[in-house]
Amino acid sequence: MPDVLVLVDHDGERVHKSTYELLTVARRLGDPAAVVVGTPGTAARLREPLARHGATTVHAAESTEADEFLATPAVEALELAVREVSPAAVLVSATTDGNEVAGRLAARLDGGLLTDAVDVDSSGVATQVVFGGSYTVRAQVTHGLPVIALRPGSCEPEERPVEAGERELALPPVDRAASARITARRAALAGDRPELTEATVVVSGGRGVAGADGFKVVEQLADALGGAVGASRAAVDAGYYPHQYQVGQTGKSVSPQLYIALGISGAIQHLAGMQTSKTIVAVNKDPEAPILDVADYAVVGDLFAVAPRLIQEVAVR
Ligand code: FAD
């Protein structure tokens, strides 16, 4: 079986759930091989959970400057690994960073890029979300190496313990003049909440929340359900909530088990980032709001009356 390279998303200590999803999908195409880009010692820390999820090889691309730069170290590492193992495909998470890495890698290797995939079958045909989520298409790379960016939350990750081999990839020094540098990392707003793209429950607030204070009820409902908080662009633009929590075409794509939209109208650009959620609940006081058309459960009412009752209901269970 050919290798299928998976770029590992991690925070230095912990592998993100989206990587386990990539490993699960990679198994359909060949032997999953994980590529860890980080500072020295990172791959050793992450090896056990990667092997538990089926990574037959862990490629360690480590250097002291690996986490100082945006896409460059990951692109270099994947290019080295591709040249070493001639994989059947490369899979990355379709996050902001992942999309950039995927695009650059495909361009460098003259490969074929499939973005916003939500499924890949065993013959390499990907189901992609296109036109802001209006359609899905099935597409396959017919020239060069397939580089596929898979949306987080597209599949249930499966454990498949294996003995993982180890390989080192010698990262070249980063070309500092030509590479974007990370100058600051945003602190998480609430340390205990799950990462937006990884959460099984997301509670999002829109302009209907009517202010930064109004977001407290969104946070309380998210916390009651052990979920993450999201926001519409209108809420972000109005300064109610920080940009890194924006869901949609120009924000993050999420696909949780449960997505609750509070005071969000359901513009196409918002739907683009959340309509693959398994169950959608919308609370909106306008019975004509488009979000109600995609919702599995719709409550027509004032979010400030409905959300506290939901919180109470969850608390007694
Ligand atoms: P509104 O459309 O103003 O809706 C507010 C809703 O709240 C209304 O339906 C109202 O009935 C309801 N409401 C008000 N008060 C209450 C209450 N007390 N209780 C219950 N309901 C209440 N948007 C995104 O979200 N993400 C994106 O990534 C994104 N990218 C974009 C990219 C481009 C190029 C463009 C042009 C637009 C983009 N937008 C995006 C903006 C998008 O078009 C909408 O303007 C935005 O999604 C609207 O946000 P909203 O639903 O919060 O606000």
Side-chain angles (χ1 to χ4, degrees):
M1 290 265 261
D3 280 0
V4 177
L5 295 177
V6 162
L7 178 63
V8 175
D9 274 339
H10 64 86
D11 60 11
E13 300 294 330
R14 204 179 54 89
V15 177
H16 292 173
K17 180 171 157 253
S18 53
T19 299
Y20 301 141
E21 295 165 10
L22 296 179
L23 290 168
T24 302
V25 169
R27 267 202 300 280
R28 299 175 194 159
L29 303 170
D31 286 332
V35 178
V36 176
V37 183
T39 49
T42 309
R45 280 195 296 281
L46 306 185
R47 189 165 165 221
E48 186 279 322
L50 290 169
R52 191 159 21 92
H53 288 82
T56 52
T57 312
V58 174
H59 295 267
E62 298 180 330
S63 83
T64 48
E65 57 182 14
D67 63 354
E68 274 180 55
F69 292 88
L70 283 170
T72 318
V75 176
E76 296 282 3
L78 286 170
E79 185 182 2
L80 284 171
V82 166
R83 299 206 187 283
E84 278 196 20
V85 304
S86 304
V90 177
L91 302 185
V92 302
S93 296
T95 57
T96 311
D97 292 347
N99 286 336
E100 180 160 352
V101 170
R104 285 169 181 256
L105 183 72
R108 258 196 208 192
L109 298 174
D110 194 21
L113 175 65
L114 296 173
T115 54
D116 279 321
V118 290
D119 194 22
V120 185
D121 72 15
S122 56
S123 51
V125 176
T127 305
Q128 289 176 277
V129 176
V130 295
F131 295 137
S134 309
Y135 298 96
T136 55
V137 295
R138 285 164 54 76
Q140 187 171 26
V141 172
T142 52
H143 166 82
L145 176 73
V147 180
I148 303 174
L150 188 81
R151 280 193 176 191
S154 296
C155 79
E156 263 316 299
E158 290 163 14
E159 292 199 4
R160 186 70 63 91
V162 290
E163 280 291 321
E166 249 183 68
R167 286 179 93 138
E168 276 188 27
L169 297 168
L171 275 182
V174 173
D175 177 353
R176 290 177 170 256
S179 304
R181 187 149 191 197
I182 299 167
T183 51
R185 288 182 196 280
R186 283 198 189 96
L189 261 196
D192 287 345
R193 287 195 196 108
E195 163 65 31
L196 186 54
T197 52
E198 300 214 337
T200 48
V201 177
V202 173
V203 183
S204 288
R207 199 183 339 239
V209 167
D213 262 3
F215 256 84
K216 291 209 175 85
V217 77
V218 182
E219 292 185 330
Q220 284 162 2
L221 182 54
D223 290 342
L225 294 164
V229 174
S232 73
R233 176 156 157 185
V236 167
D237 286 351
Y240 302 171
Y241 221 62
H243 176 254
Q244 73 253 43
Y245 298 94
Q246 182 180 315
V247 172
Q249 189 180 317
T250 43
K252 289 186 172 156
S253 294
V254 298
S255 203
Q257 294 295 323
L258 174 62
Y259 186 88
I260 303 182
L262 301 176
I264 292 177
S265 61
I268 184 80
Q269 297 89 352
H270 188 79
L271 301 184
M274 48 61 73
Q275 66 185 359
T276 52
S277 305
K278 310 299 174 293
T279 301
I280 298 171
V281 175
V283 180
N284 199 301
K285 64 182 184 186
D286 175 5
E288 304 290 322
I291 189 95
L292 305 185
D293 296 337
V294 299
D296 299 284
Y297 300 94
V299 183
V300 177
D302 186 337
L303 72 94
F304 294 106
V306 177
R309 286 180 61 187
L310 279 173
I311 294 164
Q312 244 178 9
E313 195 64 29
V314 174
V316 295
R317 275 164 202 277

